[in-house]
Amino acid sequence: VSADAASLRNIPSVDEVLKTPVASASVERFGRTSVVKAVRAALSETRSSMRGTTAVAAEAAAIAERALTQLELQSRPKVRAVFNLSGTVLHTNLGRAQLAEAAVEAATAAMREAIALEFDIGEGKRGERDELIRELLCELTGAEAATVVNNNAAAVLLVLNTLAKGRESIVSRGELIEIGGAFRMPEIMSRAGTKLIEVGTTNRTHEKDYVGAIGPKTGLILKVHTSNYRIEGFTKEVKADKLAAIARKHKVPLFNDLGSGVLVDLEKYGLSHEQTVAEAVAEGADIVTFSGDKLLGGPQAGFIVGSKELIAKINRNPMKRALRVDKIRLAALEATLQLYRDPDRLTTTLPTLRFLARKKAEIESAAKRLVPAVAKAVGPAFEVAVAACASQVGSGSLPQETVPSAGIAIRATNGRSSGRAIAALSSSFRALPVPVIGRIEEQTLVFDLRCLEREDEFVRNLALLNPAEKR
Ligand SMILES: *Cc1c(COP(=O)(O)O)cnc(C)c1O
């Protein structure tokens, strides 16, 4: 009998492991099925690591501990909260808008209860789910009719497919955008079954370019908000009101994809002016689309507002069913839109505007309060100071605008290996129970505090920081 075979015989059985106190406690927490599976996996791992060596702990208790660690890791939610201290308020990778309390409550109630989703309570018969928010959307945008789908990308796809399938869509070369990922206007057009007719040049497009492209096959004229970039210098674009006149004259619809949906004048909150949906509707576009989770501050959604006739046509497209939103989001959307009826209080009630409207001085005070706790957590290998920074709106909204902000800057005291030290520290912050997401600039870890509201939670979380230097 070889030494290997002898030690493998010493490995406990599944039943022996299950009899340990740790395994019994695990069964209480995770259920027998999961524990048996984890114990089997731990045993098989132990068996393979024992080949060629006898120096591996194979007691039942050790195996049970191993299985428990694995179960704890597996049960930790992957969808979990982080502190967004990146300086980008609407960070697409961090879930964009944080919802208003009213929206959270409405969504929670809708999840738990049966709701009149497609049911006309007055008449006692079938209704339309869009009816739940149509009135609010029309009131806030001045549009005749409205509908809602999964996101703005879906809204664009559905509008193009409904109004221009098998026909031509005219768009300026200066507006053939890529939003990120695979959302590129030319590709969306081809998927929607419409033929892209590019007009003008990258920097200059004139009225005559659009007029010259209109023909018997024209399905629509498309105007796209160049959300995430600006063309500067020798430029010319045809504004939507001029395009609306051209479209009307030639009896083709004008579709304006706004991207970020702004429902209030942002200047009131100290930001630069961004065209509102109501303004875009008033300019004469037949259809306007915009996002729910960008500057509007709601859940992911895509709104389509415009003429009654065209919205009815869009709603009859069988693709609408594939792109519709569920009751949870409709509840959150309705509650979010309701807040806009009281615009004076939006900087309290709507997190997106509350964050964006926060004054630098207030954020700086927070930074001063938090520096000692951060310094204590990172230890003497780093210096921690209050720093000025510039927040961004994010998600392609107001791309050139930064909002003066403040935060905490952390540098390594030993300059020689500071790049590596900062990267390691940043990773320790991300390993916290509530991961802290900042950004690294010139070997400095920066936490922009614009979006930090729960300071006491932040400090409690910090106590668990385990930077490599302290280990
Ligand atoms: C962001 C954006 C989209 C896509 O909107 P989602 O809601 O992210 O799907 C489409 N068009 C424009 C102009 C945008 O800015």
Side-chain angles (χ1 to χ4, degrees):
V1 178
S2 74
D4 269 15
S7 59
L8 283 175
R9 262 208 309 274
N10 289 333
I11 289 185
S13 68
V14 172
D15 279 337
E16 278 169 311
V17 178
L18 287 173
K19 278 185 193 125
T20 64
V22 169
S24 312
S26 301
V27 169
E28 278 298 306
R29 275 174 73 188
F30 299 103
R32 198 180 154 80
T33 309
S34 293
V35 175
V36 169
K37 202 167 150 196
V39 166
R40 286 215 170 97
L43 282 171
S44 125
E45 228 175 86
T46 304
R47 230 171 268 125
S48 41
S49 56
M50 276 180 103
R51 286 189 209 287
T53 167
T54 47
V56 175
E59 280 104 46
I63 303 283
E65 283 290 351
R66 217 160 150 168
L68 174 62
T69 306
Q70 202 49 40
L71 286 164
E72 277 174 339
L73 272 177
Q74 280 170 6
S75 69
R76 202 164 74 173
K78 292 217 168 46
V79 180
R80 62 193 176 124
V82 302
F83 284 109
N84 172 13
L85 308 188
S86 66
T88 301
V89 175
L90 297 168
H91 201 304
T92 297
N93 305 141
L94 300 179
R96 291 195 182 161
Q98 287 172 234
L99 297 202
E101 274 316 306
V104 173
E105 277 167 30
T108 308
M111 280 193 272
R112 200 173 281 130
E113 313 290 344
I115 66 160
L117 181 62
E118 292 181 348
F119 187 73
D120 183 330
I121 295 178
E123 300 284 322
K125 57 176 201 225
R126 196 186 180 285
E128 289 287 329
R129 67 177 67 203
D130 286 351
E131 279 302 307
L132 298 172
I133 56 166
R134 188 184 51 79
E135 203 177 287
L136 261 166
L137 275 171
C138 291
E139 176 189 319
L140 296 167
T141 64
E144 237 175 60
T147 188
V148 58
V149 288
N150 179 57
N151 58 10
N152 192 32
V156 172
L157 181 69
L158 184 63
V159 172
L160 291 173
N161 180 264
T162 309
L163 306 183
K165 181 166 175 266
R167 304 176 71 78
E168 298 173 347
S169 296
I170 303 172
V171 59
S172 161
R173 289 198 167 88
E175 297 173 5
L176 285 173
I177 57 164
E178 174 182 311
I179 301 293
F183 190 85
R184 294 172 141 194
M185 204 42 95
E187 275 153 45
I188 292 293
M189 288 206 167
S190 109
R191 293 292 167 140
T194 183
K195 186 172 175 211
L196 165 65
I197 303 290
E198 304 174 40
V199 296
T201 61
T202 304
N203 58 329
R204 290 172 69 82
T205 305
H206 305 270
E207 287 184 44
K208 62 172 195 274
D209 296 328
Y210 287 98
V211 174
I214 297 174
K217 288 198 184 136
T218 304
L220 56 80
I221 298 176
L222 169 63
K223 175 129 193 93
V224 188
H225 191 294
T226 55
S227 299
N228 46 10
Y229 71 99
R230 289 282 176 275
I231 297 177
E232 283 182 5
F234 185 53
T235 63
K236 165 107 175 59
E237 72 164 314
V238 183
K239 298 277 186 213
D241 54 344
K242 293 271 167 28
L243 274 183
I246 294 172
R248 218 173 308 125
K249 187 167 164 214
H250 293 88
K251 297 194 167 54
V252 294
L254 172 66
F255 165 25
N256 190 351
D257 174 25
L258 280 184
S260 199
V262 177
L263 297 178
V264 285
D265 184 358
L266 290 179
E267 275 171 296
K268 274 213 281 200
Y269 309 99
L271 297 160
S272 50
H273 184 77
E274 174 79 359
Q275 188 181 48
T276 64
V277 180
E279 283 164 354
V281 169
E283 280 177 338
D286 301 280
I287 291 289
V288 176
T289 56
F290 55 101
S291 283
D293 55 354
K294 292 186 180 173
L295 276 166
L296 195 143
Q300 179 187 298
F303 297 108
I304 310 172
V305 303
S307 89
K308 226 176 199 149
E309 187 203 329
L310 296 184
I311 295 287
K313 216 168 154 184
I314 287 163
N315 277 333
R316 283 196 302 269
N317 186 333
M319 265 168 79
K320 168 78 193 304
R321 168 66 194 259
L323 303 172
R324 74 184 184 186
V325 294
D326 67 304
K327 64 171 184 172
I328 306 166
R329 271 196 284 161
L330 271 168
L333 280 174
E334 184 189 19
T336 305
L337 293 171
Q338 276 282 2
L339 298 175
Y340 279 89
R341 284 181 163 156
D342 184 4
D344 298 336
R345 255 190 290 226
L346 279 173
T347 52
T348 315
T349 55
L350 193 71
T352 299
L353 279 182
R354 188 164 74 224
F355 295 151
L356 286 171
R358 257 180 114 187
K359 294 275 171 281
K360 183 181 172 181
E362 186 199 324
I363 304 169
E364 211 165 47
S365 313
K368 280 182 192 145
R369 280 194 298 277
L370 292 171
V371 160
V374 174
K376 181 164 171 252
V378 297
F382 298 94
E383 52 186 69
V384 180
V386 174
C389 40
S391 316
Q392 292 179 318
V393 180
S395 291
S397 312
L398 305 177
Q400 278 163 326
E401 175 133 349
T402 56
V403 193
S405 185
I408 291 176
I410 310 172
R411 283 178 203 85
T413 21
N414 174 2
R416 262 182 306 151
S417 58
S418 66
R420 232 179 311 137
I422 284 297
L425 183 67
S426 167
S427 134
S428 310
F429 272 101
R430 292 196 310 275
L432 283 167
V434 185
V436 179
I437 316 290
R439 61 171 193 265
I440 296 177
E441 272 170 11
E442 295 166 7
Q443 309 200 343
T444 305
L445 178 58
V446 179
F447 293 138
D448 183 327
L449 299 188
R450 175 168 297 281
C451 299
L452 180 67
E453 292 188 322
R454 293 165 285 133
E455 282 176 33
D456 48 344
E457 234 173 88
F458 179 75
V459 172
R460 248 180 286 134
N461 189 48
L462 271 187
L464 299 162
L465 188 79
N466 189 15
E469 279 67 18
K470 280 204 323 201
R471 266 175 226 153

